[in-house]
Amino acid sequence: MKRYILGKRIPSLVLLALKRFLPALLVALLVLLVVRGCFVTQVAIDTPASMPGLRQGDRLLVGRTAYGLRLPLQTKNGARHLFAQTPKRGEWCVVEQPSGSGKYCLVQVTALPSDTIADPAHPNRKYILPKGIYAAGNVLLHHADLVGRPLLITYSVIPHAPWHSCLRPKRFFRRMPEGNQ
């Protein structure tokens, strides 16, 4: 239904609301995407957690700037970290799984570049890690695989539980267990 006052057409309230709030909504969405893509993100621990104090089903808030600023929308192979920093030995890191499944793992860095490591299949062979390659146990990680440092547990779910009772009590916004620093 069209409305007219003094011969002029009055736009509908829906169009007025869209004109007024759509730019603010688009700016808020853009800010959310930049913050989530560059600074922090949330990942799920789907595998049995190897870090003491974590459980399968925990959701972690991860600081993406811990090892340098990785710009969003970059493929893993072409990813470059601006202001790249090296993780410390013994530090827990969130990395993308090598299978390319889009899932994440929590690993502890055991060797840094220029460290000498032994080949698990051939203990007599020793290798020196080149720049940008880290070891986490028997797994070698490239710097582009690093997502960030876990900051806190946002919430936790019980795997395979019904939706109405899957949240674990007392696991909301908790600090990371000791030993992560």
Side-chain angles (χ1 to χ4, degrees), residues 22-134:
L22 190 60
L25 183 65
L26 290 176
V27 168
L29 184 63
L30 181 66
V31 168
L32 174 74
L33 289 175
V34 168
V35 167
R36 178 109 192 234
C38 291
F39 301 108
V40 293
T41 192
Q42 183 179 5
V43 299
I45 303 296
D46 294 328
T47 59
S50 56
M51 183 178 184
L54 285 185
R55 298 181 184 172
Q56 184 177 357
D58 281 351
R59 299 327 194 236
L60 304 177
L61 189 68
V62 177
R64 294 179 73 101
T65 58
Y67 307 117
L69 184 63
R70 181 173 162 181
L71 300 177
L73 304 176
Q74 287 183 330
T75 61
K76 188 172 116 174
N77 295 335
R80 302 230 185 259
H81 288 80
L82 302 174
F83 315 111
Q85 298 175 357
T86 305
K88 298 174 185 141
R89 187 182 327 277
E91 185 174 50
W92 289 90
C93 304
V94 175
V95 297
E96 293 182 37
Q97 282 188 351
S99 63
S101 63
K103 295 191 177 196
Y104 300 96
C105 296
L106 192 63
V107 297
Q108 188 173 23
V109 175
T110 55
L112 301 173
S114 75
D115 283 355
T116 303
I117 60 169
D119 185 355
H122 304 91
N124 295 336
R125 293 183 186 169
K126 306 264 186 219
Y127 297 101
I128 298 175
L129 292 177
K131 181 180 178 185
I133 304 293
Y134 311 100

Side-chain angles (χ1 to χ4, degrees), residues 109-161:
V109 175
T110 55
L112 301 173
S114 75
D115 283 355
T116 303
I117 60 169
D119 185 355
H122 304 91
N124 295 336
R125 293 183 186 169
K126 306 264 186 219
Y127 297 101
I128 298 175
L129 292 177
K131 181 180 178 185
I133 304 293
Y134 311 100
N138 292 335
V139 179
L140 295 179
L141 305 169
H142 192 274
H143 193 80
D145 296 334
L146 297 175
V147 175
R149 181 180 300 132
L151 301 174
L152 60 96
I153 301 170
T154 53
Y155 66 96
S156 183
V157 296
I158 302 168
H160 311 296

